[in-house]
Amino acid sequence: MKRALSAVLILLIVASCGGYRDSPRNLDNACLLLQERKPYARAFRRVERRWGVPTHVMMAMIHQESKFDSNARTPHRFALGIIPMGRQSSAYGYSQALDGTWGDYKRETGNRRARRNDFNDATDFMGWYMTKTRDKLGIPLSDTYNQYLAYHDGHTGYRRGTWKSKAWLVDVAQRVAARAQVYRVQLSNCRHR
């Protein structure tokens, strides 16, 4: 009896860790990605209902930000090329949310236990943030290009036009928008949605 109870306890502890340890295999095919990770499809549907953000937009932005890696972090900075100086920013998880913005999300939504490496929480955060972007900047939720620029540079940075001097960021935003359109077409023909 004691052995069975120990086994159940260990199983519960392992199960509570939750999440996936690796990225999905099919990042270029929305249907196969959602077939492989069925909980992702449910999370996207929840965010569409709650915040109105289209699934293909969120998928493209998560692809760019973390490649669907729950533990994604920014690279380390080095002084003199060899002395580690910490990470480039506090961005972490699926959505690459910064510490301060994540704190704002938790306070405003009352989701105090939210974790950036939890897919449901990360997608809900993105829906919350993109809805704020629409309300503050007038960018439609379906405008992947401008939503991504505002997501990357923040609302104030977008309003100031900081992205205009970053040709690399404009290129990235164009790729994210193109990926969103590919995902949109794939999802329209997808039976696993």
Side-chain angles (χ1 to χ4, degrees):
M1 179 68 172
K2 199 174 197 178
R3 187 176 257 175
L5 186 59
S6 296
V8 168
L9 185 59
I10 289 171
L11 183 62
L12 287 173
I13 290 170
V14 170
S16 71
C17 294
Y20 295 98
R21 297 223 181 268
D22 56 347
S23 296
R25 289 184 303 271
N26 300 299
L27 296 179
D28 293 327
N29 185 311
C31 294
L32 293 176
L33 191 155
L34 295 180
Q35 182 180 3
E36 181 182 344
R37 303 286 167 91
K38 288 177 178 42
Y40 288 9
R42 287 190 294 274
F44 287 132
R45 281 193 301 270
R46 257 192 309 277
V47 172
E48 272 193 65
R49 280 192 307 272
R50 181 174 185 189
W51 302 108
V53 180
T55 294
H56 64 276
V57 174
M58 280 186 291
M59 288 183 78
M61 289 177 63
I62 290 173
H63 179 277
Q64 177 58 40
E65 291 298 291
S66 67
K67 302 290 189 280
F68 291 85
D69 177 359
S70 64
N71 292 308
R73 296 180 186 272
T74 57
H76 286 285
R77 290 177 299 156
F78 294 92
L80 304 173
I82 56 169
I83 303 168
M85 300 292 294
R87 298 205 178 263
Q88 292 175 359
S89 78
S90 63
Y92 172 66
Y94 289 108
S95 62
Q96 289 295 282
L98 299 171
D99 290 349
T101 314
W102 190 257
D104 292 343
Y105 161 74
K106 288 168 59 171
R107 274 188 300 283
E108 287 186 25
T109 62
N111 190 1
R112 300 217 179 272
R113 292 184 178 192
R115 296 184 336 255
R116 289 180 276 185
N117 64 347
D118 179 280
F119 197 79
N120 290 313
D121 294 336
T123 53
D124 193 64
F125 165 82
M126 291 182 84
W128 168 82
Y129 191 87
M130 293 170 71
T131 301
K132 285 190 152 318
T133 300
R134 180 199 60 203
D135 296 346
K136 287 182 175 184
L137 303 172
I139 300 171
L141 297 172
S142 59
D143 181 350
T144 310
Y145 175 78
N146 285 296
Q147 279 283 350
Y148 183 76
L149 291 171
Y151 192 82
H152 187 277
D153 272 14
H155 297 143
T156 303
Y158 182 88
R159 188 176 289 118
R160 288 183 185 153
T162 56
W163 55 273
K164 293 176 184 174
S165 63
K166 301 174 183 175
W168 63 269
L169 179 57
V170 170
D171 289 343
V172 169
Q174 289 170 343
R175 285 196 307 271
V176 173
R179 178 172 294 278
Q181 289 311 310
V182 169
Y183 280 161
R184 185 185 60 77
V185 169
Q186 290 171 343
L187 290 170
S188 70
N189 298 310
C190 185
R191 61 187 183 94
H192 298 287
R193 190 137 190 268

